Amino acid sequence: MTEIVHVSAPELVTYADDLAGLLVETVDEGSSVGFLAPLDRETAAIWWRERAAAVEAGSIGIWIAREGGRVSGTIALVRAPLPNARHRAEVAKLMVRPSARGQGLGRALLAAVEAYAATEGITLLILDTETGSLAEQVYCGAGWTKVGSVPGYAADPAGSLKPTTFYYKELAAP
């Protein structure tokens, strides 16, 4: 059974090595999540541990999906830092292990973040993803609205520039 947990900063540090494995697998299979291949596990673990201060400060929330004691997925919610944008946040780093895909885990992680955001008074979520990626199916299926695409926005893990599509979702006010 899969459990989705909103992690604290100390828990994030505890899970950093397992999250590093997830990040490396995700990059190795070609998903564009901000890193170039090859990504070594130690660099990935350091990146996760460096997020702990932002989690402690409340500017980032991180959720993990665990199955059998192993991290099988993750998602982040990045709060807008400026006073006129406190009503919105960015959904980032939705990753599901390749072996766990196609079982609704990405959708469940997304739903957990959306529910949390609504309870926090966040009424607008935004995100971006590589145009044509499987992630687009998850977002469209979850009711997100496509804004448009920007050509050559980010490099995929192989270093090729790819278009990125932006989405938003309005949440009900509390």
Side-chain angles (χ1 to χ4, degrees), residues 2 14-31 33 41 44 48 63-75 93-107 109 134 138:
T2 301
T14 298
Y15 286 108
D17 290 333
D18 205 9
L19 285 162
L22 168 63
L23 180 55
V24 168
E25 277 186 45
T26 302
V27 170
D28 283 350
E29 65 79 39
S31 291
V33 289
R41 196 176 178 113
W48 280 109
W63 286 256
I64 61 169
R66 296 186 298 202
E67 189 163 352
R70 183 177 187 213
V71 173
S72 54
T74 189
I75 194 169
K93 301 292 183 268
L94 173 58
M95 291 181 268
V96 175
R97 284 194 193 274
S99 61
R101 292 183 184 162
Q103 302 168 27
L105 185 53
R107 189 88 168 262
L109 285 160
L134 293 175
V138 173

Side-chain angles (χ1 to χ4, degrees), residues 38-130:
L39 176 62
D40 69 89
R41 196 176 178 113
E42 183 55 29
T43 299
I46 290 168
W47 185 85
W48 280 109
R49 286 191 290 272
E50 288 175 345
R51 310 280 76 76
V55 169
E56 183 69 32
S59 60
I60 297 176
I62 296 176
W63 286 256
I64 61 169
R66 296 186 298 202
E67 189 163 352
R70 183 177 187 213
V71 173
S72 54
T74 189
I75 194 169
L77 183 71
V78 182
R79 292 177 177 268
L82 299 173
N84 72 338
R86 299 279 159 82
H87 66 288
R88 73 174 190 249
E90 178 183 2
V91 173
K93 301 292 183 268
L94 173 58
M95 291 181 268
V96 175
R97 284 194 193 274
S99 61
R101 292 183 184 162
Q103 302 168 27
L105 185 53
R107 189 88 168 262
L109 285 160
L110 191 57
V113 165
E114 290 173 6
Y116 175 83
T119 65
E120 292 290 301
I122 295 169
T123 57
L124 180 66
L125 295 175
I126 58 171
L127 63 82
D128 67 82
T129 192
E130 183 179 319

